Amino acid sequence: MYKIPAKTLFTGQNLIFRPECRSTNTYLMELGDVSEGTVVITADQTSGRGQRGNAWSSEKGKNITASILFKPGFLLAKNQFWLTMVASLAVRDTLFEFDLSAKIKWPNDIMVDEKKICGILIENQLTGSSISKSVVGIGLNVNQEKFNLEKVTSVYQQIGREASLQEILDLVLEKLEARYLQLRQNKNDQLKEEYLKSLYWLNELHTFSNQQGMLIGIIQGVDELGRLVIDCEKERKIFDLKEIVFVK
Ligand code: BTN
């Protein structure tokens, strides 16, 4: 069970806790007309969904698996990347409260110590050309001690002790609301500047792969559609989601 956060205006004020749930994103998307800021959170997500059609697994009772509903009718579908910035920065801000310096691996994997600590899945519903409903799904590894994959970590592994799931949920919701309000108040430049400051591999020479093979280049940032901009040896290249893999 979770308590309603004390410090938000609307985010989490309608808080739905399910002891078990297939996917909080699916559950919230299918919930019908609920208020902006509604949160669905579960202790046991049995069919969690990740980006690119992957599954998201999380040990029962150990981590945050939650989805938050926004109604950003002011945002055009082509500008949906701003929600990615909002959500990634909110998780980064939360981890900062635990003295963890997180990086955002484009588009929205949150990394600490070169390992993934949080995944974000944002699913939007459109009305005409604007976003009427946005479900922001957050899978944040908190107290899980062991993972099957090598490049994954948790708050527990990073700070060496258990953290309170309630405290982390409160922080995530506060930070998310603050970042969302920044967007709603057109403080886009500020959001983008902070997103870029935290971008993993920014201005560093690295190897990537795409359908054509390997390429070496330097991430310069993201364009107005949120695509990744990489300067390769001879030319500047722009990549959409699913078009590029980070190698080393
Ligand atoms: C990723 O692939 O990195 C995104 C993972 C997103 C997982 C979260 S957990 C809560 C919400 N419900 C889901 O089914 N997925 C998201």
Side-chain angles (χ1 to χ4, degrees):
M1 276 302 281
Y2 287 92
K3 289 195 297 240
I4 288 174
K7 295 191 193 154
T8 62
L9 293 171
F10 62 95
T11 310
Q13 294 302 310
N14 181 23
L15 187 74
I16 300 169
F17 172 71
R18 306 277 305 162
E20 189 189 306
C21 180
R22 284 174 60 75
S23 157
T24 56
N25 263 38
T26 312
Y27 186 91
L28 183 52
M29 201 44 113
E30 291 173 353
L31 207 52
D33 194 24
V34 285
S35 53
E36 180 162 44
T38 293
V39 171
V40 174
I41 182 160
T42 186
D44 189 12
Q45 185 168 251
T46 53
S47 227
R49 295 185 292 108
Q51 295 163 34
R52 303 177 167 128
N54 290 327
W56 181 262
S57 64
S58 177
E59 194 181 327
K60 182 177 172 180
K62 296 281 184 180
N63 304 313
I64 295 285
T65 42
S67 302
I68 303 94
L69 176 73
F70 290 106
K71 296 184 177 179
F74 58 88
L75 201 63
L76 292 175
K78 68 177 169 74
N79 293 327
Q80 56 185 276
F81 194 74
W82 290 101
L83 293 167
T84 302
M85 293 197 209
V86 161
S88 331
L89 283 171
V91 175
R92 186 210 66 157
D93 299 343
T94 300
L95 294 168
F96 192 70
E97 299 287 337
F98 291 83
D99 286 334
L100 296 175
S101 149
K103 288 278 176 195
I104 303 166
K105 185 173 171 188
W106 180 87
N108 55 8
D109 283 351
I110 311 300
M111 312 290 289
V112 172
D113 189 25
E114 301 287 318
K115 295 175 189 143
K116 182 163 166 174
I117 197 164
C118 176
I120 298 171
L121 178 68
I122 302 180
E123 295 179 297
N124 297 321
Q125 210 174 72
L126 309 182
T127 300
S129 52
S130 2
I131 304 175
S132 42
K133 227 169 149 178
S134 179
V135 169
V136 175
I138 295 181
L140 174 57
N141 299 330
V142 180
N143 290 325
Q144 190 164 335
E145 290 179 34
K146 293 199 182 93
F147 297 92
N148 295 330
L149 298 167
E150 208 187 303
K151 294 236 166 246
V152 179
T153 191
S154 62
V155 174
Y156 174 89
Q157 284 190 352
Q158 294 299 319
I159 66 173
R161 61 174 168 84
E162 286 210 349
S164 149
L165 290 176
Q166 177 73 58
E167 186 190 347
I168 295 210
L169 177 69
D170 286 348
L171 283 168
V172 168
L173 299 181
E174 279 166 34
K175 307 290 186 190
L176 198 54
E177 182 171 284
R179 291 291 180 184
Y180 179 70
L181 290 177
Q182 255 184 324
L183 178 64
R184 212 159 78 175
Q185 291 155 4
N186 290 318
K187 294 184 180 153
N188 300 48
D189 291 349
Q190 217 175 312
L191 280 170
K192 185 158 179 188
E193 193 188 316
E194 293 185 72
Y195 178 83
L196 290 182
K197 256 199 237 161
S198 300
L199 201 59
Y200 184 71
W201 288 5
L202 182 75
N203 294 329
E204 296 172 17
L205 188 69
H206 284 282
T207 308
F208 305 83
S209 73
N210 69 356
Q211 286 198 319
Q212 278 75 52
M214 293 291 198
L215 57 105
I216 294 175
I218 299 175
I219 295 180
Q220 298 297 318
V222 292
D223 72 0
E224 68 289 351
L225 297 176
R227 296 174 303 183
L228 190 67
V229 179
I230 301 183
D231 277 353
C232 299
E233 217 183 328
K234 292 192 190 113
E235 54 182 332
R236 171 160 287 191
K237 289 189 173 168
I238 295 179
F239 298 94
D240 220 328
L241 294 171
K242 301 182 186 162
E243 282 180 357
I244 184 121
V245 174
F246 288 51
V247 178
K248 62 174 190 217

Short mmCIF file of all heavy atoms in Angstrom, two decimals, residues 22-26 40 42 45 47-58 64-67 108-110 116 118-123 135-140, ligand 1:
data_model
loop_
_atom_site.label_atom_id
_atom_site.label_comp_id
_atom_site.label_asym_id
_atom_site.label_seq_id
_atom_site.Cartn_x
_atom_site.Cartn_y
_atom_site.Cartn_z
N ARG A 22 -0.88 -6.91 -14.53
CA ARG A 22 -0.09 -7.35 -15.68
C ARG A 22 0.86 -6.25 -16.14
O ARG A 22 2.06 -6.44 -16.24
CB ARG A 22 -1.00 -7.79 -16.83
CG ARG A 22 -1.63 -9.17 -16.57
CD ARG A 22 -2.65 -9.53 -17.63
NE ARG A 22 -2.07 -9.58 -18.97
CZ ARG A 22 -1.31 -10.58 -19.41
NH1 ARG A 22 -1.05 -11.59 -18.63
NH2 ARG A 22 -0.81 -10.55 -20.62
N SER A 23 0.30 -5.08 -16.41
CA SER A 23 1.13 -3.93 -16.79
C SER A 23 0.40 -2.67 -16.33
O SER A 23 -0.76 -2.46 -16.70
CB SER A 23 1.31 -3.90 -18.32
OG SER A 23 1.62 -2.58 -18.74
N THR A 24 1.07 -1.87 -15.54
CA THR A 24 0.41 -0.65 -15.05
C THR A 24 0.10 0.31 -16.20
O THR A 24 -0.89 1.04 -16.16
CB THR A 24 1.27 0.06 -13.97
OG1 THR A 24 2.56 0.33 -14.53
CG2 THR A 24 1.40 -0.77 -12.71
N ASN A 25 0.93 0.29 -17.24
CA ASN A 25 0.64 1.15 -18.40
C ASN A 25 -0.68 0.74 -19.06
O ASN A 25 -1.54 1.57 -19.35
CB ASN A 25 1.77 1.04 -19.45
CG ASN A 25 2.77 2.18 -19.32
OD1 ASN A 25 3.10 2.59 -18.21
ND2 ASN A 25 3.26 2.68 -20.44
N THR A 26 -0.83 -0.56 -19.31
CA THR A 26 -2.04 -1.06 -19.96
C THR A 26 -3.25 -0.77 -19.08
O THR A 26 -4.28 -0.29 -19.54
CB THR A 26 -1.93 -2.58 -20.20
OG1 THR A 26 -0.67 -2.84 -20.81
CG2 THR A 26 -3.04 -3.10 -21.08
N VAL A 40 -1.17 4.60 -11.22
CA VAL A 40 -1.40 3.17 -10.95
C VAL A 40 -0.05 2.58 -10.57
O VAL A 40 0.94 2.77 -11.28
CB VAL A 40 -1.97 2.44 -12.18
CG1 VAL A 40 -2.06 0.94 -11.91
CG2 VAL A 40 -3.34 2.99 -12.54
N THR A 42 1.90 -0.98 -8.73
CA THR A 42 1.73 -2.37 -8.31
C THR A 42 2.97 -2.89 -7.62
O THR A 42 4.09 -2.39 -7.87
CB THR A 42 1.38 -3.27 -9.52
OG1 THR A 42 1.10 -4.58 -9.06
CG2 THR A 42 2.52 -3.35 -10.53
N GLN A 45 4.27 -6.71 -10.92
CA GLN A 45 3.89 -6.54 -12.33
C GLN A 45 4.27 -7.81 -13.07
O GLN A 45 5.45 -8.15 -13.17
CB GLN A 45 4.57 -5.31 -12.91
CG GLN A 45 4.13 -5.01 -14.33
CD GLN A 45 4.60 -3.64 -14.78
OE1 GLN A 45 3.81 -2.73 -14.93
NE2 GLN A 45 5.89 -3.50 -15.00
N SER A 47 3.45 -8.81 -16.32
CA SER A 47 3.67 -8.80 -17.77
C SER A 47 4.11 -7.42 -18.20
O SER A 47 3.56 -6.83 -19.12
CB SER A 47 2.34 -9.14 -18.43
OG SER A 47 2.47 -10.09 -19.39
N GLY A 48 5.11 -6.90 -17.49
CA GLY A 48 5.60 -5.54 -17.73
C GLY A 48 6.11 -5.37 -19.16
O GLY A 48 6.72 -6.27 -19.72
N ARG A 49 5.82 -4.23 -19.71
CA ARG A 49 6.25 -3.96 -21.09
C ARG A 49 7.34 -2.90 -21.13
O ARG A 49 7.30 -1.93 -20.37
CB ARG A 49 5.05 -3.51 -21.92
CG ARG A 49 4.00 -4.61 -22.06
CD ARG A 49 2.86 -4.23 -22.97
NE ARG A 49 2.05 -3.16 -22.43
CZ ARG A 49 2.04 -1.92 -22.88
NH1 ARG A 49 2.82 -1.57 -23.90
NH2 ARG A 49 1.26 -1.02 -22.35
N GLY A 50 8.33 -3.12 -22.01
CA GLY A 50 9.41 -2.16 -22.16
C GLY A 50 9.39 -1.54 -23.55
O GLY A 50 8.45 -1.74 -24.31
N GLN A 51 10.42 -0.79 -23.84
CA GLN A 51 10.53 -0.18 -25.16
C GLN A 51 10.81 -1.25 -26.22
O GLN A 51 11.31 -2.31 -25.90
CB GLN A 51 11.67 0.82 -25.18
CG GLN A 51 11.46 2.02 -24.27
CD GLN A 51 12.77 2.73 -24.01
OE1 GLN A 51 13.64 2.80 -24.86
NE2 GLN A 51 12.92 3.24 -22.79
N ARG A 52 10.55 -0.89 -27.45
CA ARG A 52 10.85 -1.76 -28.61
C ARG A 52 10.22 -3.15 -28.47
O ARG A 52 10.81 -4.15 -28.89
CB ARG A 52 12.36 -1.92 -28.80
CG ARG A 52 13.08 -0.60 -28.97
CD ARG A 52 14.58 -0.81 -29.07
NE ARG A 52 15.24 0.39 -29.54
CZ ARG A 52 16.26 0.98 -28.94
NH1 ARG A 52 16.75 0.47 -27.83
NH2 ARG A 52 16.81 2.05 -29.44
N GLY A 53 9.07 -3.23 -27.80
CA GLY A 53 8.39 -4.51 -27.67
C GLY A 53 9.04 -5.47 -26.68
O GLY A 53 8.64 -6.64 -26.58
N ASN A 54 10.04 -5.01 -25.94
CA ASN A 54 10.69 -5.88 -24.96
C ASN A 54 9.82 -6.06 -23.72
O ASN A 54 8.91 -5.27 -23.49
CB ASN A 54 12.03 -5.28 -24.51
CG ASN A 54 13.05 -5.32 -25.63
OD1 ASN A 54 13.05 -6.23 -26.44
ND2 ASN A 54 13.91 -4.32 -25.68
N ALA A 55 10.15 -7.07 -22.93
CA ALA A 55 9.45 -7.25 -21.65
C ALA A 55 10.23 -6.50 -20.57
O ALA A 55 11.42 -6.22 -20.72
CB ALA A 55 9.39 -8.73 -21.30
N TRP A 56 9.52 -6.15 -19.48
CA TRP A 56 10.19 -5.50 -18.35
C TRP A 56 9.91 -6.34 -17.12
O TRP A 56 8.77 -6.51 -16.71
CB TRP A 56 9.65 -4.09 -18.16
CG TRP A 56 10.31 -3.37 -17.02
CD1 TRP A 56 9.82 -3.23 -15.75
CD2 TRP A 56 11.57 -2.70 -17.03
NE1 TRP A 56 10.71 -2.51 -14.97
CE2 TRP A 56 11.79 -2.18 -15.73
CE3 TRP A 56 12.55 -2.50 -18.00
CZ2 TRP A 56 12.94 -1.46 -15.39
CZ3 TRP A 56 13.70 -1.79 -17.67
CH2 TRP A 56 13.88 -1.27 -16.39
N SER A 57 10.96 -6.91 -16.53
CA SER A 57 10.70 -7.72 -15.35
C SER A 57 11.27 -7.05 -14.11
O SER A 57 12.29 -6.36 -14.16
CB SER A 57 11.24 -9.14 -15.53
OG SER A 57 12.63 -9.07 -15.64
N SER A 58 10.57 -7.29 -13.01
CA SER A 58 10.90 -6.58 -11.78
C SER A 58 10.54 -7.50 -10.62
O SER A 58 9.44 -8.06 -10.59
CB SER A 58 10.05 -5.30 -11.75
OG SER A 58 10.25 -4.59 -10.57
N ILE A 64 9.91 0.13 -7.93
CA ILE A 64 8.78 0.95 -8.35
C ILE A 64 8.37 0.52 -9.77
O ILE A 64 9.18 0.56 -10.70
CB ILE A 64 9.15 2.46 -8.37
CG1 ILE A 64 9.47 2.98 -6.95
CG2 ILE A 64 8.04 3.28 -9.03
CD1 ILE A 64 8.28 3.19 -6.04
N THR A 65 7.13 0.09 -9.90
CA THR A 65 6.56 -0.14 -11.23
C THR A 65 5.23 0.62 -11.22
O THR A 65 4.27 0.19 -10.57
CB THR A 65 6.32 -1.65 -11.50
OG1 THR A 65 5.80 -2.27 -10.34
CG2 THR A 65 7.59 -2.36 -11.91
N ALA A 66 5.24 1.76 -11.87
CA ALA A 66 4.09 2.67 -11.77
C ALA A 66 3.86 3.40 -13.08
O ALA A 66 4.78 3.58 -13.88
CB ALA A 66 4.34 3.68 -10.66
N SER A 67 2.62 3.83 -13.27
CA SER A 67 2.29 4.63 -14.45
C SER A 67 1.50 5.86 -14.01
O SER A 67 0.68 5.79 -13.09
CB SER A 67 1.44 3.82 -15.43
OG SER A 67 2.14 2.65 -15.79
N ASN A 108 15.52 7.54 -23.22
CA ASN A 108 15.10 7.72 -21.83
C ASN A 108 15.45 6.56 -20.90
O ASN A 108 14.70 6.25 -19.99
CB ASN A 108 13.60 8.06 -21.73
CG ASN A 108 12.73 7.03 -22.42
OD1 ASN A 108 13.24 5.99 -22.83
ND2 ASN A 108 11.45 7.28 -22.53
N ASP A 109 16.62 5.96 -21.11
CA ASP A 109 17.10 4.99 -20.13
C ASP A 109 17.90 5.78 -19.09
O ASP A 109 18.71 6.63 -19.46
CB ASP A 109 18.07 3.99 -20.77
CG ASP A 109 17.35 2.92 -21.57
OD1 ASP A 109 16.11 2.87 -21.49
OD2 ASP A 109 18.04 2.17 -22.27
N ILE A 110 17.68 5.47 -17.84
CA ILE A 110 18.41 6.20 -16.82
C ILE A 110 19.56 5.32 -16.31
O ILE A 110 19.35 4.18 -15.89
CB ILE A 110 17.48 6.62 -15.65
CG1 ILE A 110 16.20 7.29 -16.19
CG2 ILE A 110 18.21 7.54 -14.68
CD1 ILE A 110 16.41 8.54 -17.01
N LYS A 116 21.96 0.38 -16.24
CA LYS A 116 20.59 0.90 -16.29
C LYS A 116 19.89 0.71 -14.94
O LYS A 116 19.82 -0.40 -14.42
CB LYS A 116 19.83 0.17 -17.40
CG LYS A 116 18.41 0.65 -17.60
CD LYS A 116 17.89 0.19 -18.96
CE LYS A 116 16.39 0.33 -19.09
NZ LYS A 116 15.90 0.03 -20.44
N CYS A 118 16.77 2.52 -14.45
CA CYS A 118 15.34 2.82 -14.66
C CYS A 118 15.01 2.83 -16.16
O CYS A 118 15.80 3.33 -16.96
CB CYS A 118 15.05 4.19 -14.05
SG CYS A 118 13.36 4.76 -14.33
N GLY A 119 13.86 2.27 -16.47
CA GLY A 119 13.37 2.33 -17.84
C GLY A 119 12.04 3.07 -17.86
O GLY A 119 11.27 3.00 -16.89
N ILE A 120 11.79 3.77 -18.93
CA ILE A 120 10.57 4.58 -19.04
C ILE A 120 9.85 4.22 -20.34
O ILE A 120 10.49 4.15 -21.40
CB ILE A 120 10.94 6.09 -19.03
CG1 ILE A 120 11.63 6.45 -17.70
CG2 ILE A 120 9.70 6.96 -19.23
CD1 ILE A 120 12.22 7.84 -17.66
N LEU A 121 8.56 3.99 -20.22
CA LEU A 121 7.76 3.70 -21.43
C LEU A 121 6.60 4.69 -21.46
O LEU A 121 5.72 4.65 -20.60
CB LEU A 121 7.24 2.26 -21.38
CG LEU A 121 6.35 1.84 -22.56
CD1 LEU A 121 7.15 1.77 -23.86
CD2 LEU A 121 5.71 0.47 -22.29
N ILE A 122 6.62 5.57 -22.47
CA ILE A 122 5.56 6.58 -22.57
C ILE A 122 4.65 6.20 -23.73
O ILE A 122 5.11 5.98 -24.85
CB ILE A 122 6.17 7.98 -22.80
CG1 ILE A 122 7.11 8.32 -21.64
CG2 ILE A 122 5.07 9.04 -22.93
CD1 ILE A 122 7.78 9.67 -21.73
N GLU A 123 3.36 6.12 -23.44
CA GLU A 123 2.40 5.77 -24.49
C GLU A 123 1.35 6.87 -24.58
O GLU A 123 0.76 7.27 -23.57
CB GLU A 123 1.78 4.42 -24.18
CG GLU A 123 2.86 3.32 -24.23
CD GLU A 123 2.34 1.94 -23.89
OE1 GLU A 123 1.88 1.73 -22.76
OE2 GLU A 123 2.42 1.07 -24.77
N VAL A 135 0.47 8.27 -20.96
CA VAL A 135 0.75 7.39 -19.82
C VAL A 135 2.26 7.23 -19.72
O VAL A 135 2.91 6.74 -20.63
CB VAL A 135 0.04 6.03 -19.99
CG1 VAL A 135 0.54 5.02 -18.97
CG2 VAL A 135 -1.47 6.20 -19.88
N VAL A 136 2.79 7.71 -18.60
CA VAL A 136 4.24 7.64 -18.38
C VAL A 136 4.51 6.47 -17.44
O VAL A 136 4.13 6.50 -16.27
CB VAL A 136 4.74 8.96 -17.74
CG1 VAL A 136 6.22 8.86 -17.39
CG2 VAL A 136 4.48 10.14 -18.66
N GLY A 137 5.11 5.42 -17.97
CA GLY A 137 5.39 4.22 -17.17
C GLY A 137 6.82 4.23 -16.70
O GLY A 137 7.75 4.41 -17.49
N ILE A 138 6.99 4.04 -15.41
CA ILE A 138 8.34 4.09 -14.83
C ILE A 138 8.66 2.78 -14.11
O ILE A 138 7.91 2.34 -13.23
CB ILE A 138 8.44 5.28 -13.84
CG1 ILE A 138 8.27 6.59 -14.62
CG2 ILE A 138 9.77 5.27 -13.08
CD1 ILE A 138 8.37 7.84 -13.79
N GLY A 139 9.74 2.18 -14.49
CA GLY A 139 10.25 0.98 -13.81
C GLY A 139 11.59 1.36 -13.21
O GLY A 139 12.60 1.43 -13.92
N LEU A 140 11.58 1.62 -11.92
CA LEU A 140 12.81 2.09 -11.25
C LEU A 140 13.26 1.00 -10.27
O LEU A 140 12.52 0.61 -9.36
CB LEU A 140 12.51 3.41 -10.53
CG LEU A 140 13.59 4.02 -9.64
CD1 LEU A 140 14.89 4.27 -10.42
CD2 LEU A 140 13.12 5.35 -9.04
C1 BTN B 1 12.29 0.09 -21.03
O1 BTN B 1 12.24 -0.80 -21.89
O2 BTN B 1 13.37 0.52 -20.64
C2 BTN B 1 11.02 0.67 -20.48
C3 BTN B 1 10.54 -0.08 -19.29
C4 BTN B 1 9.29 0.51 -18.69
C5 BTN B 1 8.76 -0.33 -17.54
C6 BTN B 1 7.60 0.32 -16.84
S1 BTN B 1 7.21 -0.50 -15.33
C7 BTN B 1 5.72 0.37 -15.20
C8 BTN B 1 5.16 0.52 -16.59
N1 BTN B 1 4.31 -0.59 -16.95
C9 BTN B 1 4.82 -1.32 -17.95
O3 BTN B 1 4.29 -2.34 -18.43
N2 BTN B 1 5.98 -0.80 -18.35
C10 BTN B 1 6.30 0.41 -17.60
#
